[in-house]
Amino acid sequence: MKTIIYGLGKCWEDNYKKIKEKYDIVACSDRDDGKSRSTKGNVFIKPECMRDYGAEIILICTYSYGIREQLMLEYGLDITTIFYFIELEKGVELTPRKILEYEDVKLTIIIPTYNRKERLGRTLELLQMQRDKKFKIVILDNASDYDVNELIIGKESWFVENIRIVRNNWNTGMTGNLSLIFLQETEGWIWTISDDDIPSIYAVEYIKYIITKNKYAGAVFFPILDFNKYIKEYKIIKNLSDLMRFYHRCMKDDIKDLEGDFIYLSNKVYNLDMINKYIDRVFMYSYTAVPQIIPILCMLEDNKELVIANKKIIAFSMGDGGHWDYFKVALGMSTIVDIPCSLSKKELKIWYRLVMLDYHRLFREMDKEKYKIEILYKLYFRIYKKYLKAAEKREYFIGLWKLLHCSDRRLGCKLKCK
């Protein structure tokens, strides 16, 4: 089978021998021209040339998701010819084997947005390409500097007819707009998507598939991490302690970015009938900067089921900057300790780690602005000190010490790790 290899990173390096034995490689491609050195003797071509090589399939050799949709949009490639190596050879299901149709599932996709015209346009393009086209869209425009209506001009009629744009008169801030997600006039289930992430074109049918098997769940969570080791198709979480046990196992296996996966906006689908009673608490605790997880916390406290599905419906796309500040968001997230919940001290440590940004990220984002150093100081006492291990506390302390160029022991006394 004539094959173009796209993506010449770690997946390609790890599996080159197997790929060479099984596929007839006609060319290799990557956005990074420097990767031409990794072709292992094969022809290297630019991505825009892939259509000219008459390959039967394009094999994506990367561990990242969302690449298929980007290739399709940017280079006009046929989606049916694009596959992931991890999908064909590692058993990660990314392409449905057959078209799935679910007439009775009502789904509304809600997209909070602010000044990301190009990114939002890409998201809408991929939603228009969904294989299951029975859904509605609500766009929550947080007073952007442009008219969001421009993005639906020229779109297919069925798509435009199912879009409602709600524009705030004033910018309510990120958490204000996120909280408004749960006030929209709709019914059934809602899927929340960030304006700059990349939905799979099979996302809607995957969502409906899981919903039909779990109609009475309060919410469904579609991780962006690989949970193949822990979940075959989906796992039912019955309460908050059950969720902590699941993630504790993942933490023991040292799975990275669990906190990013759990607080992520775009991988959650909510059953409105089940979560409506918690809307007041979404607004009460919107200052946490993660109002989207408040309904999940509340429903699990009430022993309503959360389903964790082992399917990929969305790919994270790094933001284009300028809209939010890691440090201000982290300061808001640290107030998650204000929310009462019936967890043991050990479980609370897992919970806090699960919903809080990894402090390494904050130190990487750090510059010498005084207010950021002050935030790091507050964060240590407000939340990090509650759950970091002794070695992590020392690392945090040393990092702060270096930032402040402290030559005496007064700061050391204040930050002493108990």
Side-chain angles (χ1 to χ4, degrees):
M1 185 177 290
K2 292 185 177 181
T3 305
I4 291 176
I5 303 298
Y6 181 84
L8 301 174
K10 191 174 187 304
C11 180
W12 166 247
E13 296 293 335
D14 290 347
N15 301 284
Y16 169 68
K17 290 183 179 178
K18 185 172 184 178
I19 294 170
K20 184 179 179 182
E21 289 173 1
K22 191 166 182 178
Y23 299 92
D24 178 11
I25 303 173
V26 297
C28 294
S29 184
D30 198 287
R31 290 178 189 272
D32 181 359
D33 289 346
K35 293 291 181 65
S36 60
R37 296 186 295 272
S38 304
T39 59
K40 300 185 183 296
N42 297 290
V43 175
F44 180 84
I45 61 174
K46 291 182 177 295
E48 55 267 30
C49 299
M50 288 192 289
R51 293 180 64 183
D52 303 331
Y53 271 71
E56 295 171 80
I57 68 167
I58 294 171
L59 191 66
I60 300 175
C61 287
T62 173
Y63 295 122
S64 300
Y65 302 108
I67 306 297
R68 172 172 52 195
E69 281 73 17
Q70 291 187 67
L71 292 178
M72 179 184 65
L73 281 181
E74 292 184 38
Y75 307 116
L77 299 170
D78 182 355
I79 194 77
T80 63
T81 66
I82 308 174
F83 297 91
Y84 289 84
F85 173 81
I86 55 176
E87 175 181 34
L88 298 182
E89 306 296 340
K90 300 291 186 180
V92 178
E93 188 175 341
L94 296 168
T95 306
R97 293 185 177 89
K98 60 181 180 179
I99 296 177
L100 309 171
E101 294 184 358
Y102 305 98
E103 297 287 342
D104 59 341
V105 177
K106 294 179 179 178
L107 179 68
T108 301
I109 301 168
I110 300 185
I111 311 172
T113 187
Y114 174 68
N115 277 359
R116 284 198 177 120
K117 184 175 182 179
E118 185 175 321
R119 296 292 188 96
L120 177 59
R122 178 183 66 184
T123 298
L124 291 174
E125 284 287 338
L126 290 168
L127 291 177
Q128 185 176 234
M129 294 177 185
Q130 290 296 304
R131 200 162 66 167
D132 183 326
K133 302 186 183 301
K134 295 183 177 67
F135 59 89
K136 296 182 181 297
I137 295 175
V138 177
I139 300 174
L140 299 180
D141 176 20
N142 207 6
S144 295
D145 295 338
Y146 73 98
D147 185 357
V148 173
N149 286 279
E150 297 172 12
L151 298 178
I152 63 175
I153 295 173
K155 294 283 191 294
E156 296 177 36
S157 58
W158 72 269
F159 189 67
V160 176
E161 290 166 3
N162 285 293
I163 293 178
R164 178 162 56 93
I165 298 174
V166 179
R167 179 178 170 84
N168 298 335
N169 291 327
W170 299 275
N171 188 308
T172 62
M174 181 184 74
T175 56
N177 209 30
L178 291 179
S179 299
L180 291 174
I181 286 170
F182 301 101
L183 287 186
Q184 302 313 304
E185 293 183 14
T186 187
E187 57 182 332
W189 295 72
I190 60 171
W191 173 24
T192 54
I193 303 184
S194 175
D195 54 6
D196 60 350
D197 287 328
I198 303 171
S200 162
I201 66 166
Y202 307 111
V204 169
E205 60 192 278
Y206 270 148
I207 289 170
K208 291 184 179 181
Y209 171 74
I210 295 297
I211 287 174
T212 55
K213 290 179 172 288
N214 301 276
K215 292 181 179 179
Y216 301 106
V220 182
F221 170 34
F222 295 86
I224 54 176
L225 300 177
D226 286 324
F227 286 160
N228 288 316
K229 180 178 178 180
Y230 315 102
I231 303 172
K232 184 176 181 181
E233 185 173 58
Y234 61 85
K235 181 178 180 64
I236 296 175
I237 303 294
K238 296 184 177 181
N239 52 56
L240 201 54
S241 292
D242 199 10
L243 183 68
M244 295 307 106
R245 283 191 291 271
F246 173 77
Y247 277 106
H248 182 57
R249 183 183 175 194
C250 298
M251 289 173 182
K252 285 172 65 177
D253 288 345
D254 200 29
I255 294 181
K256 305 298 183 184
D257 299 322
L258 284 170
E259 75 287 343
D261 197 47
F262 187 75
I263 64 175
Y264 190 41
L265 176 68
S266 301
N267 60 350
K268 295 172 180 64
V269 182
Y270 304 84
N271 184 344
L272 288 176
D273 290 339
M274 292 288 184
I275 68 164
N276 273 337
K277 64 182 291 187
Y278 310 119
I279 302 306
D280 61 329
R281 273 169 276 183
V282 170
F283 285 86
M284 183 183 300
Y285 297 110
S286 63
Y287 63 87
T288 60
V290 283
Q292 69 273 16
I293 67 171
I294 302 302
I296 293 176
L297 171 63
C298 293
M299 72 180 210
L300 286 172
E301 278 284 88
D302 283 350
N303 297 311
K304 290 183 170 61
E305 292 179 352
L306 167 69
V307 174
I308 302 180
N310 192 17
K311 292 184 181 295
K312 310 299 178 188
I313 63 168
I314 198 84
F316 171 73
S317 179
M318 184 63 70
D320 47 11
H323 296 345
W324 63 292
D325 183 309
Y326 270 111
F327 290 83
K328 291 179 180 177
V329 171
L331 195 61
M333 291 166 64
S334 69
T335 59
I336 201 77
V337 298
D338 294 348
I339 303 175
C341 56
S342 56
L343 290 173
S344 68
K345 190 172 182 179
K346 180 179 179 181
E347 290 171 334
L348 278 173
K349 288 185 177 183
I350 299 170
W351 171 244
Y352 294 154
R353 185 180 288 272
L354 189 61
V355 299
M356 189 60 195
L357 288 176
D358 186 336
Y359 67 92
H360 292 98
R361 180 179 298 175
L362 295 178
F363 276 93
R364 286 196 299 270
E365 293 285 328
M366 189 64 202
D367 52 37
K368 298 300 174 61
E369 292 181 54
K370 182 180 177 182
Y371 90 93
K372 290 185 178 180
I373 297 176
E374 291 172 349
I375 289 176
L376 285 172
Y377 182 80
K378 289 178 182 178
L379 287 173
Y380 180 82
F381 286 102
R382 181 179 289 176
I383 188 165
Y384 287 126
K385 189 176 179 180
K386 296 179 185 297
Y387 71 84
L388 291 183
K389 297 175 182 177
E392 293 173 318
K393 289 179 180 180
R394 285 194 294 272
E395 183 182 40
Y396 198 102
F397 161 74
I398 291 169
L400 263 183
W401 185 285
K402 289 179 178 178
L403 286 170
L404 291 170
H405 302 288
C406 188
S407 58
D408 58 42
R409 296 193 176 276
R410 284 177 297 173
L411 180 62
C413 292
K414 289 182 180 180
L415 288 177
K416 186 176 180 181
C417 303
K418 297 181 180 179

